[in-house]
Amino acid sequence: MSCLFLLLTLLMRSVAPVTGFSNGKVSVACEDMVPQHGYQPRPDPPPYNITVDKSTFSPGDNITVSLQVASIKPTFFKGFLMEARDAGTLDSSAVGFFMLTDPHESRLLQCGHTQGSGVSHRSSTKKTCIKAVWKSPQEPPLSVQFLATVVHEYKVYWVRIPGPVVSLRGGGTAAPFTDSPSLTTSSSAPPTLFTSVGCGHSKTCLRDPVGCHPDSDPHCFFLSFTTDEAGQSVMFELSGPAEGYVSAALSLDKWMGNDDVYLCVNDGGRVTISAAHVSGRTHPELATQDNLWGQSWRLADGVIQCRFHRNIILSNRFTLNQSYYLFMANGSSHHSLIHRHDYQPLISTNQQLITGPPVDLTGSRSPLLIKFHGVLMLTAWMWTVSTAVIIARHYKYFWLHTTLLGKRPWFQFHRTMMVLAVVLTCVAFSLPFIYRRGWSKRAGVHAYIGCTVMALSVIQPIMATLRPVPDSPRRIIFSWLHLGAGSVTHILAMVCVFLGVAQQALLLPSPWSPAVLTGWVLWIMFTDLLLLIHTYTLRNTGNDDNDDKEHMLCPHTERGQQREIPQLKNVVFIVFMIGNTGFLSAFIKAIASL
């Protein structure tokens, strides 16, 4: 029996201690902040972050520190250990001490010589946010950084997650950015996720899509700003999905150029926040002086978030006690060098006083002139030209004994609608040149086909004016040239419309817009085919091999056609017009919503 007891004793002594502390009494881990779980910590970016409510402090000041989930995906943590250390020597002992805000969820530890210099969990319940108040010592270091070890599950934990650096007032500058790929700050960290709560009440916001929520929608572009209580500075928050950068700008008009720009650029897993100036449509020129403070940022799930402060009045920047249009843009970057934005910038509908009352702003990525360009072109070619072509092809023999201003009704309708289409096309054609102030190199094939359509649209009425008289032998040549040029113009215009709805400045929803355009083309083809079949059927009615019988039935057949044509063709024409108007209305509504 004694031998068995001795053997068990030796085996127990030979096993290394592997312990877990679900009650949070982890003082043994204070020095290196590593849980004694017997497993390696996770090397990937942690889904948690630390935030503070102040960026600077004085001896004896209180700072509220929060540890929380920093991922859009739902997650939690069961255990944690948080300390504050000298940012210059992070291997030194903890400084200051904590005061609990929720004793049921957290407990104080003695890490080093000071009671309460660490704070940990009280139980292993699932948590998403923990807060504590840190009190600065009477003789603090120049800068302090908060660190946290977080346990998700027993085998899954992250060690010494770097948090924000806070600086002693009058004692120097804050420590530089640390190398956390998920969260890095120079003064304070942003909240877990930017939120739209308070938009229009406590802060001014600009969002795309309208009413989106950056805390739950990873596709939400979000800009907000708030003036501090002293009225000396403004805090900006900027968030959006981007691989390279998100940016905001203040502008006196809706044209790019002479703008105050603020860039949040993904630079190899960290975000650089800087101010710049744009002169014309050129690359932003970075400011030589760093006038932004309280900077913080986050990269999570393809979303860039950044926060910064700047004083309302600066000698080399736009003053913030004036009204400006707000721009938001995003794009790619390479080695901190930004490229042209991926999409048309979001521009606020109206100017906004930066230090004025909070407003929930609206904006658009499509300039008003480009919207009018789209509406006018669609009206000209989707509705006017299509209707005029149907009238000329299938309704020439309506009202044979009626004239309108000395001409047959079909001709007057056709000519009037074609002239209207040319006028609409000319006006619409000029609008992009007015907006771009010249030729756009990025419009692609759409611009070249559009110029061709414009030229043919002008040639057609000139050709019609010079047409020969009906009895002229050259009339047949004119008829074929007029038909051929008109058909080519109509087809090219359709192609141009398909390309136009995918232009950056008028980016209609996809695949909705190509599908509706395809439906419109099929609608025209179906109507044209139906009328052709009807006309062919009527022409063969009453034909017979017996010439005498055909001669006798001919008058009756013509009268029958005169009765049948108005009845059926009128119905087809009315239905065609209703359908065409429906397609046009759908696109006008879509453009108005951009």
Side-chain angles (χ1 to χ4, degrees), residues 529-549:
L529 181 62
L530 180 63
L531 291 172
L532 283 174
I533 293 173
H534 179 262
T535 302
Y536 178 80
T537 302
L538 289 177
R539 285 178 180 176
N540 289 294
T541 300
N543 286 349
D544 194 275
D545 294 336
N546 190 313
D547 293 339
D548 294 335
K549 186 177 180 181

Side-chain angles (χ1 to χ4, degrees), residues 455-474:
L456 291 173
S457 298
V458 174
I459 291 173
Q460 275 291 83
I462 296 176
M463 186 188 305
T465 304
L466 301 176
R467 69 187 182 280
V469 296
D471 297 332
S472 172
R474 292 177 296 175

Side-chain angles (χ1 to χ4, degrees), residues 27-34 83 85 91-92 111 160:
S27 297
V28 67
C30 279
E31 184 175 352
D32 57 8
M33 301 186 73
V34 178
E83 300 179 19
R85 296 191 179 187
D91 291 332
S92 59
C111 293
R160 291 177 62 148

